[in-house]
Amino acid sequence: MTFEGHARKLLKRLGIDRHYNGIEYVIACINYINDGGKTFLPNTLKLYEEMAKKFNVAPTAIDSNIRQVVRVIFKKRTNPKLIRAIFGEYNLTHRPSNMEFIMSMLIYIRYNLDFEAYAAREIEEYEKKEAKKRQKLIPEPEPEPTPP
């Protein structure tokens, strides 16, 4: 699954589906930062300007639609355990800013992708070891005697 696919799946688990305009903006912001764009932590306006160019909308539309996504997630509380896992201290009482939301989502996705990659490597190593063990257990066939 792609990074974008993980972001989309995570938002869905948080109660945001594709009929919210902000879902595409959140995913684009997360992807932009993940792909090496600057983090823009002190100034979200620059990030919104980049996204506004991409989607051909005003930066204020990016801001308000992302804010709506955050508002809905923290109002619906569809998955409180997941909210706690992603946003930690914000828990269910404090709604994060848009940039805190985006960065928390990015960190959570990166962590889980790293874990999945680690688990995949561990499984692959285990399977290689098991294959070697099986090969040792199967005796090699003796060569057929050649007629004199």
Side-chain angles (χ1 to χ4, degrees), residues 40-49 63 97-100:
F40 299 113
L41 285 176
N43 189 354
T44 55
L45 185 58
K46 289 182 182 178
L47 177 61
Y48 295 160
E49 287 172 352
D63 176 54
S97 70
N98 285 1
M99 188 53 76
E100 290 168 334

Side-chain angles (χ1 to χ4, degrees), residues 35-137:
D35 289 342
K38 295 180 183 173
T39 57
F40 299 113
L41 285 176
N43 189 354
T44 55
L45 185 58
K46 289 182 182 178
L47 177 61
Y48 295 160
E49 287 172 352
E50 288 294 321
M51 294 301 107
K53 288 177 193 172
K54 178 178 179 172
F55 290 99
N56 199 24
V57 296
T60 54
I62 302 290
D63 176 54
S64 62
N65 280 295
I66 292 174
R67 193 173 312 283
Q68 178 64 16
V69 166
V70 176
R71 199 176 293 128
V72 168
I73 287 171
F74 281 81
K75 186 176 181 183
K76 282 170 94 175
R77 298 181 182 157
T78 303
N79 195 334
K81 287 182 181 178
L82 184 58
I83 291 172
R84 280 189 202 101
I86 298 170
F87 304 103
E89 69 182 81
Y90 299 110
N91 223 338
L92 298 173
T93 57
H94 173 73
R95 185 175 32 179
S97 70
N98 285 1
M99 188 53 76
E100 290 168 334
F101 175 82
I102 290 166
M103 292 306 292
S104 294
M105 294 281 290
L106 175 64
I107 290 165
Y108 185 84
I109 293 167
R110 279 182 179 169
Y111 173 79
N112 284 301
L113 286 176
D114 287 346
F115 180 76
E116 284 178 14
Y118 170 78
R121 284 191 305 271
E122 288 294 310
I123 290 169
E124 186 177 324
E125 286 297 317
Y126 174 79
E127 288 174 349
K128 284 180 183 176
K129 287 178 185 175
E130 290 299 308
K132 284 182 182 178
K133 285 180 188 176
R134 283 192 301 272
Q135 273 186 335
K136 288 180 182 177
L137 293 175

